[in-house]
Amino acid sequence: MLDLPIHNGMVVDGTGSPGFHASVLVKDNRIAIHRGDHSGLEAARAIDAQGKVVCPGFVDLHSHAGLTMLGEPRHDPKVRQGVTTELVGIDGISHAPYKSQEELQRAIWLDSGFNGYPPGSPDWLSVLDLYGKYDNAVSINVAVILGNAPVRIWSVGWSDRPATASEIEDMRSVTREAMEEGAWGLSSGLDYPPGSFASTDELVALAEVSTRYGAFYQTHTRAILTQYGLLAPWEEALDIGRRSGIPVHLTHYRQPRQGVGSHHDFIGLVEGGRDEGMDVTFDCYSYPYSGTTLLMLVPNWTMDGGPERAIAAFKDSNDRERIRREVDRETLAETWLTNFKQPHNMEYDGKSITEIAHIRSQDPVDAIMDLLVDENLSIHIVGTGTNQHTLPAFVSHPYGIIASDAILLGEYQNPRSYGCFPIVLAEFVRAEKHLRLPEAIRKMTSFPAQRLGLPDRGVLRDGFKADIVVFDPDIVRTDAVLGDPKHYPVGIDHVIVNGEVVIDDGEHTGALPGRALRRGKPS
């Protein structure tokens, strides 16, 4: 007897090929495609997908939910979008490996406006231990990528200085062990201390080790390099790929804002790398808003030494004066704050820095420094970080993957955290026709699975794992918008993870069948 047959739907298998009518059969967490009469198939329950699309579960290559989903394992904002697998450890900020609980807790503290906190004290140190926190404990599958920040903390510490030769060798050993424990690649966050203190040579050394394990390099590039040319940050990434041989993946890639070069410059860089024979890909999100920690807007030197140094800098009169001179005030004016915890600060939730400064009768830079101290660094921001006019060119490009960059913090978080994938189906496919449906689904399923290296997910094919989405292509949409982001999608009726129904007729069943997906191990 079958576990779950899905009949009468249009199967869009994730490869980019046109859809076809067939039944998708699930038994023991494996898929079989059945054409023709299905009346003789026995099952305790079947799903009638008449008028709907049946496709693979979406694979999100940019998730900041590695800690928050431990406290909210149903993970409703993402699984209701159709996401069945996520990659965590992005932007150089993985939560393993660490030498001690103290160092792990300091790292979580520094990045708490970005990745939040786990429930209670963290009780893991290694990549293998971290994987154990997810297995059959959350709604979706979780893969881990190794961040360069914990590797640097392990060997160099929190200081902004070059690594010595012996420290580089130690970092290579740490990287090797993480890869052997199942990390899928190496990520860097070159705007986020202490990972941002790494040199190009240091990153090449880590990438050389990673590539021996079939891993890839995913990078949030170094914005400070733009002083050497518009594309310099991304050229550094390609240089790391050339020198180490590692495949390069540029994350949240887009034209930052109107008037900053041309989107053809950015896309041309990727195409040029491919023409050169490099394995270069990118991902982009589907909303024109950025999201990160408020610490992103202050100079990196304030964190030279860790979170304690940041707090001290925001309290010191000389440091404050220097910070006032160095902060980009134009960016401040286009930024909204959220994730406040102190009751007396809740009136600022969802307001711009300009509005908050006016309410407080303060200079905007003084306002953010005081709030960072008061909120213990945990403030999250949303800003206007993308040219919305050229965003479709990135979303639709054949070398581009759809990824959410979802940060599930605050009441006024980025709407992409709730709507990244359904807005592609509703706006980029159905309304604006920037993409055909099979290609859009490829960019959310088989392509990210291929980039990651998943051997048996991302395609509806005989013998593959049963991660499946059923949605209505005529009504699927998201109502998540800036200032009112917390809306679940409409028209995504069923989501199956590892053969278990997690979303049933649009509601969460409470099932937590997610698996820890370790590279090199059966999933």
Side-chain angles (χ1 to χ4, degrees):
M1 180 179 289
L2 296 170
D3 297 329
L4 181 70
I6 305 170
H7 299 309
N8 304 320
M10 175 65 73
V11 176
V12 181
D13 65 9
T15 65
S17 299
F20 57 91
H21 287 286
S23 294
V24 178
L25 312 181
V26 177
K27 183 174 177 59
D28 298 329
N29 191 19
R30 295 289 178 178
I31 291 168
I33 305 299
H34 177 83
R35 297 174 186 261
D37 181 27
H38 57 75
S39 59
L41 300 175
E42 295 185 3
R45 184 253 172 114
I47 292 175
D48 184 357
Q50 182 71 45
K52 297 175 183 176
V53 168
V54 184
C55 72
F58 303 149
V59 179
D60 189 353
L61 285 190
H62 195 127
S63 168
H64 290 280
L67 298 181
T68 56
M69 79 168 75
L70 295 177
E72 299 180 3
R74 289 165 54 110
H75 205 32
D76 280 283
K78 298 301 293 299
V79 71
R80 286 174 183 261
Q81 292 185 57
V83 174
T84 58
T85 298
E86 289 190 346
L87 181 65
V88 302
I90 307 302
D91 292 340
I93 308 169
S94 63
H95 295 107
Y98 285 90
K99 283 183 177 178
S100 68
Q101 298 292 334
E102 178 187 2
E103 290 292 76
L104 173 56
Q105 288 173 343
R106 292 178 73 203
I108 291 172
W109 174 19
L110 184 66
D111 299 314
S112 56
F114 202 20
N115 294 307
Y117 284 94
S121 298
D123 59 356
W124 67 87
L125 291 174
S126 70
V127 170
L128 191 59
D129 291 341
L130 180 59
Y131 268 127
K133 304 301 294 184
Y134 302 116
D135 212 16
N136 290 304
V138 295
S139 285
I140 66 168
N141 304 307
V142 180
V144 173
I145 192 168
L146 172 67
N148 78 302
V151 178
R152 184 163 233 275
I153 292 168
W154 185 292
S155 302
V156 181
W158 296 82
S159 300
D160 184 3
R161 65 169 178 81
T164 65
S166 62
E167 287 168 342
I168 291 285
E169 285 307 308
D170 191 39
M171 294 165 74
R172 287 166 64 92
S173 296
V174 173
T175 301
R176 186 179 304 112
E177 183 172 351
M179 295 298 152
E180 290 174 352
E181 291 185 348
W184 290 87
L186 173 69
S187 79
S188 66
L190 303 182
D191 283 331
Y192 301 112
S196 61
F197 301 149
S199 67
T200 304
D201 289 344
E202 179 178 315
L203 294 167
V204 169
L206 304 187
E208 286 173 343
V209 174
S210 303
T211 194
R212 296 173 193 163
Y213 290 87
F216 71 109
Y217 175 57
Q218 183 184 58
T219 180
H220 170 125
T221 54
R222 200 186 313 264
I224 194 172
L225 287 182
T226 54
Q227 63 186 297
Y228 301 106
L230 174 67
L231 299 176
W234 298 278
E235 288 168 344
E236 180 191 35
L238 267 61
D239 184 46
I240 291 166
R242 290 187 192 96
R243 293 171 58 187
S244 67
I246 199 166
V248 175
H249 184 76
L250 308 173
T251 199
H252 47 52
Y253 196 58
R254 76 279 186 200
Q255 184 186 11
R257 57 183 181 273
Q258 194 168 359
V260 179
S262 164
H263 68 286
H264 296 293
D265 298 324
F266 292 90
I267 290 173
L269 182 82
V270 174
E271 293 176 341
R274 302 286 302 194
D275 291 343
E276 184 184 327
M278 297 184 67
D279 183 354
V280 184
T281 53
F282 68 88
D283 66 59
C284 63
Y285 41 71
S286 52
Y287 281 79
Y289 313 115
S290 62
T292 184
T293 170
L294 180 54
L295 287 175
M296 177 76 165
L297 303 187
V298 301
N300 275 0
W301 60 260
T302 62
M303 290 160 272
D304 182 359
E308 301 90 347
R309 172 66 180 109
I311 294 288
F314 302 145
K315 291 180 176 180
D316 181 82
S317 59
N318 292 328
D319 284 343
R320 285 173 72 100
E321 181 57 35
R322 182 180 172 187
I323 294 167
R324 289 189 201 99
R325 294 194 304 267
E326 296 182 7
V327 165
D328 179 355
R329 290 176 178 268
E330 182 179 347
T331 300
L332 292 187
E334 300 175 345
T335 301
W336 298 266
L337 305 188
T338 191
N339 200 42
F340 291 98
K341 304 300 182 185
Q342 298 295 333
H344 56 270
N345 291 330
M346 295 307 295
E347 65 176 306
Y348 307 135
D349 206 3
K351 291 183 170 61
S352 71
I353 292 174
T354 301
E355 291 175 290
I356 294 168
H358 178 73
I359 294 169
R360 293 169 64 95
S361 299
Q362 275 187 299
D363 177 87
V365 181
D366 286 310
I368 65 171
M369 288 189 286
D370 289 346
L371 286 169
L372 280 166
V373 172
D374 200 16
E375 293 287 339
N376 208 25
L377 309 181
S378 294
I379 301 174
H380 177 62
I381 64 173
V382 177
T384 53
T386 304
N387 182 356
Q388 62 180 335
H389 303 294
T390 61
L391 184 58
F394 292 86
V395 171
S396 62
H397 195 277
Y399 299 151
I401 289 165
I402 308 302
S404 73
D405 195 2
I407 303 170
L408 300 172
L409 300 179
E411 292 303 310
Y412 296 93
Q413 61 196 242
N414 198 309
R416 69 184 182 223
S417 298
Y418 280 71
C420 177
F421 297 93
I423 203 173
V424 172
L425 301 172
E427 299 296 329
F428 290 86
V429 173
R430 188 176 67 229
E432 301 297 332
K433 296 181 172 51
H434 295 295
L435 282 165
R436 293 185 181 275
L437 181 60
E439 174 64 5
I441 289 176
R442 181 189 76 87
K443 292 160 73 65
M444 298 189 287
T445 58
S446 68
F447 193 5
Q450 171 192 333
R451 173 75 291 170
L452 188 57
L454 291 173
D456 54 4
R457 299 179 194 267
V459 177
L460 296 185
R461 180 176 294 164
D462 289 353
F464 272 45
K465 296 291 188 179
D467 295 342
I468 305 167
V469 177
V470 181
F471 68 91
D472 188 327
D474 295 325
I475 69 169
V476 63
R477 74 173 194 274
T478 176
D479 296 324
V481 296
L482 187 66
D484 188 18
K486 292 190 170 184
H487 292 277
Y488 298 132
V490 173
I492 297 180
D493 301 309
H494 302 281
V495 180
I496 294 98
V497 181
N498 293 314
E500 292 191 41
V501 180
V502 176
I503 302 300
D504 195 1
D505 287 327
E507 297 298 326
H508 202 297
T509 65
L512 303 175
R515 305 279 174 81
L517 304 182
R518 294 170 55 199
R519 185 196 48 76
K521 299 294 181 181
S523 62

